[in-house]
PDB file of all heavy atoms in Angstrom:
ATOM      1  N   ALA A 526       0.209 213.068  26.032  1.00 88.00           N
ATOM      2  CA  ALA A 526      -0.897 212.747  26.933  1.00 88.00           C
ATOM      3  C   ALA A 526      -2.217 213.281  26.387  1.00 88.00           C
ATOM      4  O   ALA A 526      -3.266 212.619  26.507  1.00 88.00           O
ATOM      5  CB  ALA A 526      -0.626 213.319  28.322  1.00 88.00           C
ATOM      6  N   ALA A 527      -2.188 214.480  25.788  1.00 87.00           N
ATOM      7  CA  ALA A 527      -3.406 215.048  25.204  1.00 87.00           C
ATOM      8  C   ALA A 527      -3.892 214.192  24.040  1.00 87.00           C
ATOM      9  O   ALA A 527      -5.093 213.936  23.886  1.00 87.00           O
ATOM     10  CB  ALA A 527      -3.149 216.480  24.746  1.00 87.00           C
ATOM     11  N   THR A 528      -2.947 213.727  23.213  1.00 82.00           N
ATOM     12  CA  THR A 528      -3.312 212.834  22.120  1.00 82.00           C
ATOM     13  C   THR A 528      -3.867 211.523  22.656  1.00 82.00           C
ATOM     14  O   THR A 528      -4.838 210.969  22.128  1.00 82.00           O
ATOM     15  CB  THR A 528      -2.084 212.560  21.229  1.00 82.00           C
ATOM     16  OG1 THR A 528      -1.609 213.795  20.701  1.00 82.00           O
ATOM     17  CG2 THR A 528      -2.432 211.624  20.093  1.00 82.00           C
ATOM     18  N   GLN A 529      -3.241 211.022  23.721  1.00 83.00           N
ATOM     19  CA  GLN A 529      -3.720 209.781  24.331  1.00 83.00           C
ATOM     20  C   GLN A 529      -5.140 209.953  24.855  1.00 83.00           C
ATOM     21  O   GLN A 529      -5.952 209.036  24.802  1.00 83.00           O
ATOM     22  CB  GLN A 529      -2.790 209.384  25.467  1.00 83.00           C
ATOM     23  CG  GLN A 529      -2.987 207.963  25.975  1.00 83.00           C
ATOM     24  CD  GLN A 529      -2.440 206.926  25.008  1.00 83.00           C
ATOM     25  OE1 GLN A 529      -1.351 207.085  24.487  1.00 83.00           O
ATOM     26  NE2 GLN A 529      -3.214 205.893  24.745  1.00 83.00           N
ATOM     27  N   SER A 530      -5.455 211.155  25.347  1.00 84.00           N
ATOM     28  CA  SER A 530      -6.792 211.426  25.851  1.00 84.00           C
ATOM     29  C   SER A 530      -7.827 211.294  24.744  1.00 84.00           C
ATOM     30  O   SER A 530      -8.913 210.736  24.951  1.00 84.00           O
ATOM     31  CB  SER A 530      -6.839 212.831  26.465  1.00 84.00           C
ATOM     32  OG  SER A 530      -8.092 213.090  27.038  1.00 84.00           O
ATOM     33  N   LEU A 531      -7.495 211.790  23.548  1.00 81.00           N
ATOM     34  CA  LEU A 531      -8.398 211.635  22.411  1.00 81.00           C
ATOM     35  C   LEU A 531      -8.469 210.178  21.967  1.00 81.00           C
ATOM     36  O   LEU A 531      -9.528 209.672  21.582  1.00 81.00           O
ATOM     37  CB  LEU A 531      -7.921 212.513  21.246  1.00 81.00           C
ATOM     38  CG  LEU A 531      -7.874 214.017  21.506  1.00 81.00           C
ATOM     39  CD1 LEU A 531      -7.315 214.747  20.296  1.00 81.00           C
ATOM     40  CD2 LEU A 531      -9.266 214.551  21.845  1.00 81.00           C
ATOM     41  N   LYS A 532      -7.358 209.494  22.040  1.00 79.00           N
ATOM     42  CA  LYS A 532      -7.283 208.105  21.596  1.00 79.00           C
ATOM     43  C   LYS A 532      -8.066 207.178  22.524  1.00 79.00           C
ATOM     44  O   LYS A 532      -8.585 206.136  22.096  1.00 79.00           O
ATOM     45  CB  LYS A 532      -5.808 207.688  21.538  1.00 79.00           C
ATOM     46  CG  LYS A 532      -5.545 206.370  20.837  1.00 79.00           C
ATOM     47  CD  LYS A 532      -4.081 206.003  20.908  1.00 79.00           C
ATOM     48  CE  LYS A 532      -3.211 206.997  20.181  1.00 79.00           C
ATOM     49  NZ  LYS A 532      -1.801 206.568  20.145  1.00 79.00           N
ATOM     50  N   ASN A 533      -8.166 207.550  23.818  1.00 81.00           N
ATOM     51  CA  ASN A 533      -8.803 206.684  24.809  1.00 81.00           C
ATOM     52  C   ASN A 533     -10.313 206.870  24.898  1.00 81.00           C
ATOM     53  O   ASN A 533     -10.933 206.475  25.874  1.00 81.00           O
ATOM     54  CB  ASN A 533      -8.187 206.945  26.193  1.00 81.00           C
ATOM     55  CG  ASN A 533      -6.790 206.415  26.330  1.00 81.00           C
ATOM     56  OD1 ASN A 533      -6.161 206.054  25.354  1.00 81.00           O
ATOM     57  ND2 ASN A 533      -6.284 206.365  27.541  1.00 81.00           N
ATOM     58  N   LYS A 534     -10.904 207.456  23.889  1.00 81.00           N
ATOM     59  CA  LYS A 534     -12.315 207.829  23.948  1.00 81.00           C
ATOM     60  C   LYS A 534     -13.253 206.631  24.078  1.00 81.00           C
ATOM     61  O   LYS A 534     -14.399 206.774  24.497  1.00 81.00           O
ATOM     62  CB  LYS A 534     -12.683 208.628  22.693  1.00 81.00           C
ATOM     63  CG  LYS A 534     -12.427 207.864  21.398  1.00 81.00           C
ATOM     64  CD  LYS A 534     -12.549 208.776  20.203  1.00 81.00           C
ATOM     65  CE  LYS A 534     -12.163 208.048  18.924  1.00 81.00           C
ATOM     66  NZ  LYS A 534     -10.741 207.602  18.952  1.00 81.00           N
ATOM     67  N   ASP A 535     -12.793 205.423  23.700  1.00 79.00           N
ATOM     68  CA  ASP A 535     -13.655 204.241  23.735  1.00 79.00           C
ATOM     69  C   ASP A 535     -13.483 203.402  24.992  1.00 79.00           C
ATOM     70  O   ASP A 535     -14.121 202.360  25.114  1.00 79.00           O
ATOM     71  CB  ASP A 535     -13.369 203.344  22.521  1.00 79.00           C
ATOM     72  CG  ASP A 535     -13.690 204.037  21.211  1.00 79.00           C
ATOM     73  OD1 ASP A 535     -14.633 204.846  21.197  1.00 79.00           O
ATOM     74  OD2 ASP A 535     -12.995 203.782  20.221  1.00 79.00           O
ATOM     75  N   ILE A 536     -12.618 203.828  25.904  1.00 81.00           N
ATOM     76  CA  ILE A 536     -12.335 203.004  27.085  1.00 81.00           C
ATOM     77  C   ILE A 536     -12.598 203.817  28.350  1.00 81.00           C
ATOM     78  O   ILE A 536     -12.713 205.043  28.304  1.00 81.00           O
ATOM     79  CB  ILE A 536     -10.877 202.493  27.069  1.00 81.00           C
ATOM     80  CG1 ILE A 536      -9.890 203.670  27.134  1.00 81.00           C
ATOM     81  CG2 ILE A 536     -10.614 201.637  25.840  1.00 81.00           C
ATOM     82  CD1 ILE A 536      -8.435 203.225  27.254  1.00 81.00           C
ATOM     83  N   PRO A 537     -12.713 203.159  29.501  1.00 82.00           N
ATOM     84  CA  PRO A 537     -13.031 203.891  30.738  1.00 82.00           C
ATOM     85  C   PRO A 537     -11.960 204.886  31.148  1.00 82.00           C
ATOM     86  O   PRO A 537     -12.267 205.902  31.777  1.00 82.00           O
ATOM     87  CB  PRO A 537     -13.161 202.772  31.781  1.00 82.00           C
ATOM     88  CG  PRO A 537     -13.419 201.528  30.995  1.00 82.00           C
ATOM     89  CD  PRO A 537     -12.715 201.701  29.690  1.00 82.00           C
ATOM     90  N   GLU A 538     -10.705 204.602  30.838  1.00 82.00           N
ATOM     91  CA  GLU A 538      -9.616 205.460  31.311  1.00 82.00           C
ATOM     92  C   GLU A 538      -9.378 206.635  30.369  1.00 82.00           C
ATOM     93  O   GLU A 538      -9.428 206.487  29.145  1.00 82.00           O
ATOM     94  CB  GLU A 538      -8.319 204.654  31.435  1.00 82.00           C
ATOM     95  CG  GLU A 538      -8.428 203.435  32.333  1.00 82.00           C
ATOM     96  CD  GLU A 538      -8.801 202.174  31.581  1.00 82.00           C
ATOM     97  OE1 GLU A 538      -9.245 202.296  30.414  1.00 82.00           O
ATOM     98  OE2 GLU A 538      -8.666 201.077  32.131  1.00 82.00           O
ATOM     99  N   GLY A 539      -9.122 207.792  30.959  1.00 84.00           N
ATOM    100  CA  GLY A 539      -8.734 208.945  30.158  1.00 84.00           C
ATOM    101  C   GLY A 539      -7.286 208.830  29.723  1.00 84.00           C
ATOM    102  O   GLY A 539      -6.616 207.829  29.948  1.00 84.00           O
ATOM    103  N   GLY A 540      -6.769 209.881  29.112  1.00 85.00           N
ATOM    104  CA  GLY A 540      -5.421 209.850  28.573  1.00 85.00           C
ATOM    105  C   GLY A 540      -4.364 210.205  29.594  1.00 85.00           C
ATOM    106  O   GLY A 540      -4.572 211.036  30.481  1.00 85.00           O
ATOM    107  N   ALA A 541      -3.219 209.564  29.470  1.00 89.00           N
ATOM    108  CA  ALA A 541      -2.072 209.838  30.338  1.00 89.00           C
ATOM    109  C   ALA A 541      -0.814 209.459  29.581  1.00 89.00           C
ATOM    110  O   ALA A 541      -0.858 208.744  28.574  1.00 89.00           O
ATOM    111  CB  ALA A 541      -2.169 209.055  31.648  1.00 89.00           C
ATOM    112  N   LYS A 542       0.316 209.952  30.063  1.00 89.00           N
ATOM    113  CA  LYS A 542       1.598 209.587  29.455  1.00 89.00           C
ATOM    114  C   LYS A 542       2.701 209.929  30.442  1.00 89.00           C
ATOM    115  O   LYS A 542       2.639 210.909  31.176  1.00 89.00           O
ATOM    116  CB  LYS A 542       1.816 210.337  28.144  1.00 89.00           C
ATOM    117  CG  LYS A 542       3.061 209.933  27.369  1.00 89.00           C
ATOM    118  CD  LYS A 542       2.971 208.496  26.870  1.00 89.00           C
ATOM    119  CE  LYS A 542       1.990 208.349  25.742  1.00 89.00           C
ATOM    120  NZ  LYS A 542       2.025 206.994  25.121  1.00 89.00           N
ATOM    121  N   GLY A 543       3.718 209.077  30.433  1.00 88.00           N
ATOM    122  CA  GLY A 543       4.926 209.356  31.197  1.00 88.00           C
ATOM    123  C   GLY A 543       6.124 209.232  30.274  1.00 88.00           C
ATOM    124  O   GLY A 543       6.288 208.212  29.603  1.00 88.00           O
TER     125      GLY A 543
END
Side-chain angles (χ1 to χ4, degrees):
T528 300
Q529 193 74 44
S530 184
L531 299 177
K532 192 184 296 185
N533 288 13
K534 58 191 174 298
D535 297 327
I536 63 175
E538 304 92 345
K542 185 66 72 172

